[in-house]
Amino acid sequence: MAESRGSLLAKSVQKHAGRAKEKILQNLGKVDRTADEIFDEHLQNFTKQQNAANRLQKEFSNYIRCIRATQAASKTLLEAIGEVYESQWTGHDQLYILTQSVDVLWQDFSHKLADQVLLPLNTYQSQFPEMRKIDKRGRKLVDYDSQRHSFQALQTNMKKRDDVKIGKGREQLEEAKRTYEILNSELHDELPALFDSRVLFLVTNLQTLFNAEHTFHSQSSKIFNELEDIVDKLATDSQRGSYSVKKTNGTNSLPRPKSLLKDSPELIINNLPPSRANDEEPELFPSVPDSNANTASNDLVSPVSPTNSSSPEPASPDLPDSKDPINTCAASDTNKSPTKKVEEVYDIPVEASTEHLPPGVLYRVKATYKYTREDVDELSFDVGEIVSVVEYDDPDEQEEGWLMGMKENGEKGMFPANFTRPL
């Protein structure tokens, strides 16, 4: 047994040494090489196909990992959204169900990609390393060329014909040629068939991939459209003051006369417009008289008591100080009842510019949010539109948090002030 193993080892070493010598001689141009241009073309196609399969398998494996990471991130994000979306808000239960549906879609999408796309791709890619026959064919080709050159040398260099050596050399040459040609013939059939299979595989694999992508994104798009509708409804309810919290100063003061100014900023809560339909009589504050008015004192003038049955007489338009009225009903010796100032009635913001404006325009504002009117006396506008703030036809009709505006096209109506910013 030991001799047999030693003999096999020696034969293997001799064979490798003979192949190495033959390759060196071929590279140096000392001996010729059996050429097969058709096989070389098949081998070039095989190499290109193998590189493409390796690239596709690598990139898709990375894509699957990213999909799973995105799935985990999506689940965490939607869980956080579900926690911050308060239970009393509109569509709370529906939002929870929809966010759970999104996670189910991610799971199904990930499984389809792994089972129906990546697994077949791995099988397709694994067939290239198994094509060891190509390397074996290369070794047998070197053996065939080596035997061919040895037999030629035997015939050329033999001074005396030795039929035994010639016969043995011919047998070895024919055996090497037969072994090589069998492998070469098989590869001439297998390599073109393998190369042609790439089309059918890619069609099937990519159709599965694109269909899975289309299904996932279409269904998830529908869910997110429904989620968007829920949030839009929440925004509408919020604009109407459904979730506003009324602020109080801790006192139970009596309601003030409606004829007083409606300039209480405390009624605008959380930057949301008040609900016009549910407004109660606003609590009003007395105004400070204008320093330029012809009054005997700079003190605050108390409003008319609700119990006073007498009402003040209207101010005479012929009075010299009628252009600078004060916004209160004050008792005086002259029995003159001043009117309201525009600045006090409409509470023009300090940052608003009042210069170089057309007659009747108090100041201008720019829309920071889109507003769609909910009543015929309201004004709609888009983000970025410029609206001129004008006086109410009847100042007593103004509502807290609402302004009267006019657009460049002449449309006029009320709108929530906190959907705009002064210019």
Side-chain angles (χ1 to χ4, degrees), residues 33-63:
R33 178 185 309 179
T34 300
D36 189 340
E37 295 181 358
I38 296 178
F39 177 83
D40 291 342
E41 182 180 352
H42 293 333
L43 183 60
Q44 183 179 2
N45 290 337
F46 172 84
T47 303
K48 180 173 66 174
Q49 184 182 9
Q50 181 181 26
N51 292 337
N54 292 340
R55 168 74 185 280
L56 190 60
Q57 194 273 345
K58 175 185 175 182
E59 297 301 334
F60 197 78
S61 296
N62 181 61
Y63 182 67

Side-chain angles (χ1 to χ4, degrees), residues 1 10 62 91 150 160 166 173 191 237 270 288 296 318 339 344 361 394 402:
M1 181 65 67
N62 181 61
S150 296
K160 185 179 179 180
I166 292 176
L173 175 60
L191 290 181
D237 291 348
N270 296 331
V288 179
D318 298 328
T339 60
E344 294 175 339
V361 177
D394 183 355
W402 293 79

Side-chain angles (χ1 to χ4, degrees), residues 289-357:
D290 193 336
S291 60
N292 295 326
N294 295 327
T295 59
S297 173
N298 291 330
D299 295 334
L300 293 176
V301 180
S302 301
V304 176
S305 171
T307 59
N308 189 355
S309 59
S310 62
S311 58
E313 296 179 357
S316 173
D318 298 328
L319 291 177
D321 61 345
S322 61
K323 295 182 180 180
D324 191 21
I326 59 175
N327 184 32
T328 185
C329 298
S332 64
D333 294 338
T334 60
N335 293 326
K336 296 175 183 179
S337 178
T339 60
K340 301 175 183 178
K341 288 184 62 178
V342 171
E343 292 81 357
E344 294 175 339
V345 172
Y346 296 102
D347 191 20
I348 298 177
V350 294
E351 65 270 25
S353 174
T354 58
E355 299 179 356
H356 308 296
L357 296 177

